[in-house]
Amino acid sequence: MFTGIIEAKGRVARLEPKGGDLRLLIETGDLPLADVQLGDSIATNGVCLTVVELPGNGYWADVSGETLAHTTVVEWAVGQAVNLEKALTPNTRLGGHIVSGHVDGVGEVVSRYSDARSERFRIRAPAALAKYIAHKGSITVDGTSLTVNKVDGAEFELNIVPHTLKCTVMEGYREGSRVNLEVDVLARYLERLLLGDKAAESAGGVTLDFLAEHGFTHR
């Protein structure tokens, strides 16, 4: 588990195809590794990766086909900057929100513009994730815990202060940039709880008809 508070920016140092998936080396820059052991997790642009080797200046990790299919890792290039956060401990300050490092989908930056000293970003999420994104709720973008300022269908807006811009990869976002998104895990569990016994059925989810049928709304 993570908090979404980025500890350092690293960079992709090597990408090695391995039997249909990928092994990669991340140089960690200012991220201290003295307390990191083999098998530990490090969120890398929001993707929870397991450390399999520690060469000294970074870590190697294996990336499965499942991860490649549902994150931006498949698009990464050598030299690319990435957000880094080590897994939280009992002594970690929970300054962001509970982040699992399990990416829900890939979004796209629609627009960016300056607003006083802040930068405003509009991001389009996959349609299937729209129901989990709420005004003033939390969302994780490339591993960064952020507050949603506005929601318009599957698009949402963010206000990014100078410190966050400087300390994360958001500084390099442009129109068309693709980003890893993780919705608030509480929203996903709430959906399953609302389904009750129907959660065991393979089809469907929480719909307007479902809510009306169970007295949450009126048709």
Side-chain angles (χ1 to χ4, degrees):
M1 303 296 289
F2 308 91
T3 68
I5 303 301
I6 303 305
E7 296 180 272
K9 285 192 289 186
R11 76 175 192 97
V12 178
R14 291 178 65 180
L15 296 162
E16 296 184 356
K18 289 279 186 179
D21 51 39
L22 184 69
R23 173 168 284 203
L24 54 80
L25 172 64
I26 303 294
E27 291 184 354
T28 50
D30 294 331
L31 185 74
L33 297 177
D35 60 343
V36 175
Q37 301 178 10
L38 298 184
D40 283 356
S41 297
I42 298 179
T44 308
N45 264 15
V47 182
C48 178
L49 296 179
T50 300
V51 175
V52 297
E53 290 184 42
L54 286 164
N57 62 338
Y59 60 93
W60 284 91
D62 291 318
V63 184
S64 69
E66 174 72 10
T67 299
L68 291 172
H70 295 97
T71 71
T72 62
V73 177
V74 70
E75 303 167 13
W76 290 0
V78 171
Q80 176 174 328
V82 289
N83 290 325
L84 301 175
E85 181 192 356
K86 292 183 289 187
L88 62 82
T89 71
N91 296 322
T92 302
R93 289 184 176 179
L94 191 58
H97 70 286
I98 296 295
V99 175
S100 69
H102 303 154
V103 173
D104 292 301
V106 175
E108 181 178 331
V109 176
V110 176
S111 64
R112 170 181 178 170
Y113 66 92
S114 297
D115 181 5
R117 293 188 304 119
S118 296
E119 289 287 301
R120 295 269 188 173
F121 292 89
R122 187 177 181 93
I123 296 177
R124 181 183 301 113
L129 298 184
K131 60 184 175 181
Y132 302 112
I133 302 171
H135 177 237
K136 295 304 178 183
S138 296
I139 192 164
T140 308
V141 180
D142 278 341
T144 308
S145 172
L146 298 168
T147 300
V148 176
N149 294 117
K150 183 180 179 181
V151 179
D152 180 12
E155 296 184 359
F156 62 94
E157 293 187 6
L158 306 166
N159 180 79
I160 308 301
V161 298
H163 177 79
T164 302
L165 199 67
K166 177 182 178 181
C167 296
T168 71
V169 299
M170 296 192 78
E171 189 173 31
Y173 286 178
R174 299 292 183 266
E175 182 178 334
S177 294
R178 286 162 56 81
V179 296
N180 291 319
L181 300 178
E182 180 186 334
V183 299
D184 192 338
V185 66
L186 295 179
R188 284 200 170 278
Y189 280 114
L190 178 59
E191 179 183 39
R192 297 292 286 177
L193 287 170
L194 286 173
L195 284 171
D197 292 340
K198 288 185 177 293
E201 300 176 8
S202 60
V206 174
T207 63
L208 290 177
D209 286 341
F210 175 90
L211 292 174
E213 179 183 346
H214 291 81
F216 292 103
T217 62
H218 296 283
R219 287 189 178 91

